[in-house]
């Protein structure tokens, strides 16, 4: 039973579910439903899909996450970045048949779900750590700008194509003369209203004496108000006949059962996109979930989150939706509205289902410009260029990675940008660890502590050099350490002992072991003894399973101070003092 509960977190939180919790979840569900209806329609538009697919992707996936997810506040559904990536992935297929486009979106959701489920079962959640935060921040900032720019065509009522910022801006400029004035007025008015609602409506309502909870609900309902008013204006004045593009007929009813394509060629074309969507969606979702969980001293399980998100995407695929993940703004609203358990998501799904059953005929005259305004206002909150300033002040390498990600995403499109982000994150890690920090240390007078000779006033021994290695040793950096040690030895002909301090070395792989063996031989040929200090237990366990300790010319000391006392009067290598330490002592 415990093994089953490991994969079904609902069995844990359902045991303490009560009426008060249900009320809190219900209130949060009402607020999120109000917010999610226009967002779902808008993000489907962004993905280049029929509007109803946004609603479909906001029903069954939420139920699946409530069963399998571990976050109490994460709100799953269509999000801006994943919608843009979906549009790019399907756009690369060159499909013209709407039915084939829908099938491709369903297949993409299923593939993303399968990838996430496989990663969850294999406990591969740690792979998300290879995407550095600065690179992800740069990608999201660039994606926000790209999304906002892509929606300007709906604000102006013109035809624009392209997946990169230069292409989009060039097309907008070329077709600016075709702007539909009615569309422009609706779009700009909706933008102005939504920006005001986001910043000014709640304080105004509070100043008028309205309760905080009701003011919050009305502020979150701003997009619904924009939708309702522009639908009414478009219908009353017949603006659809004046060139204002509208959503048109949205099928009424619950999501239909659907199945992904089994065409191997389509799967091969979509695989990379599905993988990138899975990784980016998971990173974005887990970041939000961990942040919100920490505020209530709760915890999430990243590996189980993979399963929860995977199940949500499979649920989207079998119910006519497209790829989903946890949304930042939506989850924060869910948290602030008082959601106590994932049941809030299931209740939200009921609200969206009711909207799909009864409200879709009212959406016929909804201007696409209104949905575009909703997207623009939502995604501009993702744009944060302060990461460039922070990275520049802290690390020029991180700055270069962030800047490159932003430039590549804007210049070549979202898939190139996210691929570059993954590669840059891994390359950044390899670069930093391939040149480990090595400090020559000495004894701080009157203590047993050893510090960097360049930073502190310390005592050193003429015939001994102690080098502290501040990184695990593996194939990419072992030769660097060897060259560093040999260069240091070459500078001082009086050296007789080299001590390597390993307090920060958590791993020594086979390549690094061979390098240490070679270093030991080369130093021995030069008449220099090699010693190790402060070797951690797991590292020592591995070293003892090799021949290295048998061949080591020096000793392994428990701590650096022991080595200092043993070696300070020992000028000739191989002296017997302290030999009882050899190969036996580790932390």
């Amino acid at each position: 039973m415990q093994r089953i509960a490991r994969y079904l977190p609902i069995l844990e939180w359902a045991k303490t579910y009560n009426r008060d919790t249900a009320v809190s979840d219900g209130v949060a569900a009402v607020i999120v439903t109000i917010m999610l209806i226009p967002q779902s329609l808008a993000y489907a538009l962004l993905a280049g899909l029929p509007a109803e697919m946004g609603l479909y992707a906001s029903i069954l996936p939420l139920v699946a996450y409530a069963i399998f997810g571990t976050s109490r506040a994460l709100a799953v559904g269509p999000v801006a970045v994943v919608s843009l990536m979906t549009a790019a992935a399907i756009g690369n297929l060159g499909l013209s048949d709407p039915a084939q486009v829908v099938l491709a979106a369903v297949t993409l959701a299923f593939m993303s779900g399968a990838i996430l489920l496989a990663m969850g079962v294999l406990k591969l959640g740690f792979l998300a750590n290879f995407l550095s935060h600065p690179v992800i921040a740069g990608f999201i900032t660039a994606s926000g700008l790209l999304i906002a720019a892509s929606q300007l065509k709906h604000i102006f009522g013109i035809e624009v194509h392209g997946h990169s910022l230069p292409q989009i801006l060039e097309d907008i400029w070329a077709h600016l003369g075709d702007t539909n004035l009615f569309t422009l007025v609706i779009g700009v008015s909706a933008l102005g209203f939504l920006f005001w609602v986001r910043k000014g409506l709640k304080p105004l309502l509070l100043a008028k004496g309205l309760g905080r909870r009701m003011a919050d609900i009305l502020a979150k309902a701003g997009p619904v108000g924009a939708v309702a008013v522009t639908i009414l204006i478009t219908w009353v004045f017949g603006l659809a006949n004046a060139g204002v593009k509208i959503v048109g007929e949205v099928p009424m009813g619950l999501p239909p059962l659907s199945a992904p394509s089994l065409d191997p060629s389509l799967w091969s074309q979509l695989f990379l996109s599905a993988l990138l969507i899975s990784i980016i969606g998971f990173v974005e979702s887990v970041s939000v979930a961990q942040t919100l969980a920490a505020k209530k001293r709760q915890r999430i399980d990243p590996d189980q989150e993979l399963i929860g998100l995977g199940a949500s995407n499979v649920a989207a695929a079998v119910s006519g939706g497209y790829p989903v993940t946890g949304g930042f703004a939506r989850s924060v609203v869910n948290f602030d509205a008082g959601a106590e358990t994932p049941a809030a998501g299931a209740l939200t799904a009921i609200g969206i289902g009711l909207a799909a059953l009864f409200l879709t005929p009212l959406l016929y005259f909804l201007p696409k410009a209104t949905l575009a305004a909703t997207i623009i206002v939502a995604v501009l909150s993702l744009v944060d260029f302060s990461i460039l300033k922070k990275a520049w002040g802290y690390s020029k390498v991180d700055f270069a990675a962030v800047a490159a990600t932003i430039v590549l995403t804007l210049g070549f499109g979202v898939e190139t940008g996210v691929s570059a982000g993954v590669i840059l994150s891994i390359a950044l890690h390899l670069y930093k660890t391939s040149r480990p920090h090595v400090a020559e240390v000495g004894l701080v007078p009157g203590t047993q502590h050893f510090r960097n000779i360049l930073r502190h006033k310390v005592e050193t021994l003429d015939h001994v050099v102690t080098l502290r290695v501040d990184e695990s040793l593996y194939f990419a950096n072992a030769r660097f350490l060897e060259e560093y040690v040999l260069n240091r030895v070459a500078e001082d002909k009086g050296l007789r002992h080299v001590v390597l301090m390993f307090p920060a070395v958590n791993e020594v792989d086979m390549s690094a072991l061979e390098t240490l063996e070679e270093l030991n031989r080369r130093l021995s040929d030069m008449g220099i003894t090699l010693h190790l200090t402060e070797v951690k237990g797991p590292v020592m366990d591995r070293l003892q399973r090799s021949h290295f300790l048998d061949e080591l010319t020096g000793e392994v000391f428990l701590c650096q101070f022991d080595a200092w006392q043993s070696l300070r009067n020992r000028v000739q290598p191989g002296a017997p003092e302290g030999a009882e330490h050899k190969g036996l002592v580790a932390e």
Side-chain angles (χ1 to χ4, degrees):
M1 184 66 181
Q2 189 173 3
R3 186 177 180 86
I4 296 175
R6 155 75 175 81
Y7 293 103
L8 293 172
I10 187 174
L11 298 178
E12 183 65 29
W13 58 260
K15 290 188 293 188
T16 58
Y17 204 74
N18 54 43
R19 184 175 179 179
D20 291 339
T21 306
V23 170
S24 297
D25 286 344
V27 172
V30 169
I31 296 175
V32 175
T33 299
I34 292 171
M35 177 184 184
L36 191 52
I37 291 173
Q39 272 196 357
S40 298
L41 299 169
Y43 290 148
L45 177 73
L46 172 60
L49 301 170
E52 63 270 17
M53 290 189 72
L55 294 175
Y56 298 162
S58 304
I59 300 176
L60 203 55
L62 277 73
V63 177
Y65 185 82
I67 297 172
F68 296 100
T70 60
S71 172
R72 301 294 181 97
L74 191 70
V76 172
V79 300
V81 173
V82 170
S83 296
L84 180 64
M85 295 177 72
T86 299
I90 297 176
N92 291 335
L93 300 176
L95 301 175
S96 57
D97 182 358
Q100 291 298 313
V101 170
V102 169
L103 181 61
V106 167
T107 304
L108 189 61
F110 183 82
M111 292 176 66
S112 297
I115 291 171
L116 288 165
L117 285 172
M119 291 175 66
V121 171
L122 296 174
K123 300 184 182 301
L124 299 180
F126 70 91
L127 291 177
N129 297 332
F130 284 102
L131 279 171
S132 71
H133 173 71
V135 167
I136 286 293
F139 171 71
I140 291 177
T141 290
S143 296
L145 286 175
L146 203 57
I147 291 168
S150 72
Q151 295 307 296
L152 291 177
K153 62 182 180 183
H154 297 296
I155 300 295
F156 289 101
I158 58 180
E159 288 293 330
V160 173
H161 305 284
H163 296 296
S164 67
L165 189 62
Q167 291 172 340
I168 292 171
L169 295 179
E170 183 180 353
D171 257 19
I172 290 176
W173 181 257
H175 295 90
L176 206 55
D178 301 329
T179 298
N180 183 286
L181 291 179
F182 294 108
T183 302
L184 183 62
V185 169
I186 290 175
V188 172
S189 300
L191 275 173
F193 173 74
L194 291 173
F195 275 121
W196 173 75
V197 164
R198 176 162 290 219
K199 298 292 185 182
L201 181 57
K202 186 176 179 179
L204 178 63
L205 294 174
L206 291 174
K208 295 293 184 182
L210 203 63
R212 181 169 293 276
R213 178 60 62 87
M214 184 55 64
D216 193 52
I217 292 175
L218 291 177
K220 298 297 186 298
V224 176
V227 166
V229 171
T230 54
I231 286 175
L232 185 63
I233 291 174
T234 304
W235 173 59
V236 170
F237 294 100
L239 296 182
N241 298 323
V244 174
K245 294 182 180 179
I246 58 176
V247 169
E249 184 177 355
V250 177
M252 185 169 61
L254 293 175
L257 290 176
S258 57
S261 170
L262 299 179
D263 181 2
S265 64
L266 180 62
W267 279 57
S268 64
Q269 288 177 288
L270 290 177
F271 178 76
L272 179 58
S273 297
L275 179 62
L276 294 175
I277 286 172
S278 301
I279 294 173
I280 293 298
F282 173 63
V283 171
E284 180 179 355
S285 180
V286 166
S287 298
V288 176
Q290 288 176 331
T291 300
L292 297 180
K295 291 184 177 182
K296 289 191 175 183
R297 296 192 177 184
Q298 297 168 349
R299 62 175 296 275
I300 66 164
D301 181 348
D303 291 321
Q304 183 60 31
E305 282 298 290
L306 283 166
I307 293 175
L309 292 174
S312 298
N313 277 279
V314 172
V318 300
S319 59
Y322 69 99
V324 298
T325 193
F328 175 75
R330 192 181 309 140
S331 298
V332 171
V333 169
N334 195 39
F335 179 87
D336 290 342
E340 295 288 341
T341 72
L347 295 173
T348 301
I350 294 173
I352 301 295
L354 293 173
L357 277 171
F358 302 110
L359 299 181
T360 52
L362 302 177
L363 301 173
Y364 185 90
F365 287 101
L366 173 58
K368 290 186 176 181
T370 303
L371 294 180
T374 302
I375 293 173
I376 291 172
V377 172
V379 300
L380 285 182
S381 64
L382 302 175
V383 177
D384 179 17
F385 283 110
S386 68
I387 187 65
L388 288 170
K389 182 179 179 181
K390 293 175 184 176
W392 178 262
Y394 188 77
S395 167
K396 301 301 187 290
V397 174
D398 283 330
F399 172 82
V402 174
T405 302
I406 291 175
V407 170
L408 289 171
T409 302
L410 294 177
F412 298 96
V414 64
E415 289 203 346
T416 300
V418 71
S419 300
V422 172
I423 294 171
L424 282 170
S425 294
I426 296 174
L428 196 61
H429 170 74
L430 291 175
Y431 175 79
K432 288 178 177 178
T433 58
S434 67
R435 300 176 62 84
H437 180 258
V438 179
E440 184 172 340
V441 299
L443 179 67
V444 178
T447 74
Q448 296 183 12
H449 300 293
F450 290 78
R451 293 294 184 267
N452 193 326
I453 64 172
L454 300 179
R455 295 176 178 268
H456 302 273
K457 291 182 178 180
V458 294
E459 298 175 6
T460 60
L461 302 173
D462 292 338
H463 63 293
V464 179
V465 63
T466 300
L467 302 174
R468 189 188 69 222
V469 183
D470 294 334
E471 183 69 62
S472 291
L473 298 176
Y474 71 117
F475 64 92
N477 64 15
R479 292 298 299 274
F480 174 86
L481 176 64
E482 180 183 9
E483 293 299 322
Y484 187 98
V485 173
L486 293 177
N487 287 337
R488 173 64 182 86
V489 169
E491 295 174 0
D492 193 339
K493 303 302 182 183
L495 285 178
R496 292 296 178 265
H497 300 276
V498 170
V499 181
L500 295 181
M501 280 184 70
F502 276 13
V505 177
N506 299 312
E507 174 75 18
V508 176
D509 73 358
M510 281 291 294
S511 297
L513 176 63
E514 292 176 359
T515 299
L516 289 176
E517 291 173 342
E518 178 63 21
L519 179 62
N520 182 57
R521 283 192 292 270
R522 295 183 67 175
L523 289 176
S524 178
D525 292 341
M526 300 165 67
I528 297 174
T529 305
L530 177 65
H531 308 270
L532 302 180
T533 68
E534 302 188 13
V535 182
K536 293 186 175 180
V539 176
M540 177 62 83
D541 291 341
R542 287 195 174 186
L543 294 179
Q544 287 178 328
R545 293 197 293 267
S546 70
H547 297 292
F548 174 68
L549 295 180
D550 296 329
E551 299 170 358
L552 184 65
T553 56
E555 305 163 32
V556 179
F557 295 92
L558 177 64
C559 66
Q560 178 57 33
F561 189 70
D562 288 349
W564 172 275
Q565 289 184 309
S566 176
L567 300 176
R568 61 184 173 182
N569 296 320
R570 197 193 311 176
V571 178
Q572 296 300 322
E577 183 185 351
E580 68 274 6
H581 293 289
K582 182 178 176 67
L584 299 176
V585 183
E587 287 189 322

